[in-house]
Amino acid sequence: QKEVEQNSGPLSVPEGAIASLNCTYSDRGSQSFFWYRQYSGKSPELIMFIYSNGDKEDGRFTAQLNKASQYVSLLIRDSQPSDSATYLCAVSQGGKLIFGQGTELSVKP
Amino acid sequence: DAGVIQSPRHEVTEMGQEVTLRCKPISGHNSLFWYRQTMMRGLELLIYFNNNVPIDDSGMPEDRFSAKMPNASFSTLKIQPSEPRDSAVYFCASSPRGLAGGNNEQFFGPGTRLTVL
């Protein structure tokens, strides 16, 4: 079992819809969880982090964390074509982050 | 405020040559990370430093790879000799928090695209 798992996609949604990206992790001791966005040919860019159970909202983005289920998700409301990218989930482990393989999101106009 | 700076942005070399990648972290950050990204393996952590000290180098693939951080504002990743399978994008990232805990958010540089012929 991989330490951090994501569906590789591609996930395709129409413009204006809600995109839901999911991530599971294996280390119950993990305390902090991150979502990065990576455009093709660019570096990963931090968009959100969460460390408490529940939801955290930032603009069109909502991160959801359920530590009991070892599950973290990212919702993107009113998806735009500019949201088309690969989304990487990362989980803290000591002083480092463990990254998932990423989910490719495509938002169709 | 400048982000993480990496050089060169692109490097093309021949098998057997030495390659040195450079990184300048964000000022004030005390942790620095080197990653390698390929389509097949995704984003892999190679090594990370906290306060200029290497903490975990378990991701360094073999002895051909070495990394140094002589001071808080500079780090190098060296491959000697290079091989075609080393072709990848190499990212450097820095974090304002390290072993002491905290959120450990990392900020990535633009990367170096390495091609070994």
Side-chain angles (χ1 to χ4, degrees):
Chain A
Q1 180 190 6
K2 293 182 180 178
E3 292 183 86
V4 179
E5 295 206 46
Q6 298 180 251
N7 289 329
S8 60
L11 172 66
S12 183
V13 301
E15 183 175 357
I18 296 175
S20 177
L21 304 160
N22 305 314
C23 174
T24 58
Y25 61 95
S26 59
D27 184 0
R28 285 192 172 274
S30 297
Q31 296 295 318
S32 303
F33 307 86
F34 304 82
W35 283 100
Y36 284 80
R37 177 178 60 201
Q38 187 174 24
Y39 291 114
S40 180
K42 302 295 185 182
S43 58
E45 172 192 12
L46 178 66
I47 53 174
M48 286 198 76
F49 64 85
I50 185 169
Y51 48 90
S52 298
N53 272 331
D55 295 0
K56 179 180 179 182
E57 187 174 316
D58 183 0
R60 295 186 297 111
F61 298 94
T62 299
Q64 298 176 316
L65 175 61
N66 184 325
K67 289 187 178 180
S69 300
Q70 295 175 247
Y71 178 91
V72 58
S73 65
L74 179 71
L75 302 178
I76 306 175
R77 290 182 301 282
D78 188 23
S79 296
Q80 301 297 310
S82 58
D83 295 326
S84 298
T86 296
Y87 289 79
L88 299 164
C89 171
V91 175
S92 67
Q93 190 178 84
K96 62 186 182 183
L97 297 182
I98 307 299
F99 283 84
Q101 286 286 93
T103 298
E104 182 183 351
L105 172 66
S106 176
V107 181
K108 303 296 186 184
Chain B
D1 185 22
V4 176
I5 298 172
Q6 291 186 247
S7 65
R9 296 291 305 275
H10 301 272
E11 177 82 23
V12 180
T13 191
E14 293 188 346
M15 182 174 62
Q17 296 299 304
E18 177 179 298
V19 175
T20 299
L21 310 181
R22 298 172 176 79
C23 176
K24 176 178 170 55
I26 293 172
S27 178
H29 284 194
N30 63 359
S31 293
L32 182 141
F33 305 80
W34 282 102
Y35 291 89
R36 177 173 68 178
Q37 188 174 42
T38 61
M39 288 293 292
M40 288 292 292
R41 301 176 68 90
L43 193 62
E44 302 175 278
L45 177 66
L46 301 177
I47 185 171
Y48 81 95
F49 296 83
N50 183 253
N51 293 325
N52 312 339
V53 176
I55 302 300
D56 184 347
D57 66 354
S58 60
M60 296 286 261
E62 45 196 283
D63 291 346
R64 298 183 298 105
F65 286 70
S66 63
K68 294 182 179 180
M69 192 165 187
N71 57 62
S73 59
F74 183 66
S75 177
T76 59
L77 177 68
K78 185 176 293 186
I79 308 172
Q80 167 63 19
S82 59
E83 296 183 3
R85 60 194 168 117
D86 301 331
S87 297
V89 180
Y90 291 80
F91 290 108
C92 176
S94 70
S95 174
R97 298 176 181 85
L99 300 179
N103 293 334
N104 289 337
E105 62 267 34
Q106 295 181 17
F107 299 89
F108 283 74
T112 296
R113 182 173 296 276
L114 173 64
T115 302
V116 183
L117 303 175

